[in-house]
């Protein structure tokens, strides 16, 4: 009986895809035409997410934000990173200094839009824990600029 139970648990839960990064988006209206799109990544204990800015691309994959071209909005500047939970350290696994986040990370992109509409954004990222990493992941958001409540991902792409 115990062997059957352990096998059932392993088959049921062992097949689920590990997802230690939980993304949400919130839109903050700044004025009539300007909005801040705030991307928040909450990380499970022990997991780390990499910055957009790394010394080179011979190590982990930097977090990247890809905005679909759309005439209804324009980006104002680049995606900004919060300093909270951010650290620059030497990473033995990659044999290089990296910038990464633990616990949570916040990224903000200002956009200008005078019309209503949605903004499609894909985030490419990589996460690691101690001595192991997951393959790069892609998550997609279909962001409604008129909706200021927290928005969940529209699609995970593997």
């Amino acid at each position: 009986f115990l062997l059957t139970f352990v096998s059932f648990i392993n088959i049921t839960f062992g097949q689920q895809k590990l997802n230690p990064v939980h993304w949400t988006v919130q839109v903050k209206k700044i004025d009539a035409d300007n909005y801040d799109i705030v991307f928040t990544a909450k990380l499970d204990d022990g997991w780390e997410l990499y910055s957009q800015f790394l010394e080179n691309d011979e190590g982990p994959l930097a977090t990247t934000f890809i905005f679909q071209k759309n005439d209804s909005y324009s980006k104002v500047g680049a995606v900004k990173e919060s300093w909270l939970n951010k650290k620059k350290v030497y990473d033995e696994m990659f044999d290089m200094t990296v910038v990464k986040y633990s616990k949570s990370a916040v990224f903000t992109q200002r956009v200008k839009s005078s019309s209503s509409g949605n903004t499609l954004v894909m985030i490419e990222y990589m996460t690691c824990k101690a001595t192991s990493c997951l393959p790069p992941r892609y998550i997609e958001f279909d962001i409604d600029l008129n909706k200021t409540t927290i928005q969940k991902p529209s699609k995970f792409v593997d």
Side-chain angles (χ1 to χ4, degrees):
F1 174 76
L2 182 60
L3 184 59
T4 303
F5 179 74
V6 169
S7 295
F8 171 78
I9 294 297
N10 187 38
I11 291 168
T12 304
F13 296 105
Q15 301 300 320
Q16 293 180 355
K17 198 163 231 177
L18 187 58
N19 186 22
V21 183
H22 312 280
W23 290 92
T24 57
V25 168
Q26 189 163 18
V27 175
K28 295 183 179 180
K29 188 169 185 168
I30 304 304
D31 57 36
D33 294 338
N34 290 290
Y35 302 83
D36 278 350
I37 302 174
V38 181
F39 301 90
T40 302
K42 301 264 185 202
L43 297 125
D44 290 348
D45 286 340
W47 288 93
E48 296 176 312
L49 176 71
Y50 295 91
S51 167
Q52 302 173 91
F53 311 107
L54 299 175
E55 288 181 357
N56 59 55
D57 44 347
E58 294 176 14
L61 178 73
T63 300
T64 306
F65 295 84
I66 304 159
F67 285 74
Q68 181 182 38
K69 292 187 182 204
N70 186 329
D71 292 337
S72 70
Y73 77 92
S74 60
K75 293 189 326 180
V76 180
V79 176
K80 295 180 181 175
E81 297 185 359
S82 166
W83 288 97
L84 185 64
N85 301 316
K86 187 177 188 177
K87 58 187 174 183
K88 184 176 184 176
V89 296
Y90 178 78
D91 190 314
E92 290 183 17
M93 187 169 23
F94 295 107
D95 191 27
M96 64 184 279
T97 299
V98 297
V99 179
K100 56 187 175 179
Y101 290 88
S102 58
K103 297 182 183 175
S104 68
V106 178
F107 304 88
T108 304
Q109 174 66 61
R110 180 152 299 171
V111 296
K112 183 174 183 130
S113 176
S114 56
S115 63
S116 62
N118 287 19
T119 303
L120 191 63
V121 180
M122 187 171 79
I123 305 170
E124 179 182 29
Y125 65 97
M126 182 176 173
T127 184
C128 297
K129 180 177 186 176
T131 59
S132 64
C133 296
L134 294 177
R137 297 274 171 96
Y138 305 87
I139 189 167
E140 201 172 89
F141 284 93
D142 188 8
I143 302 165
D144 183 344
L145 292 177
N146 295 311
K147 188 177 175 186
T148 58
T149 57
I150 291 178
Q151 300 177 45
K152 302 284 184 185
S154 56
K155 186 173 167 184
F156 288 93
V157 183
D158 284 325

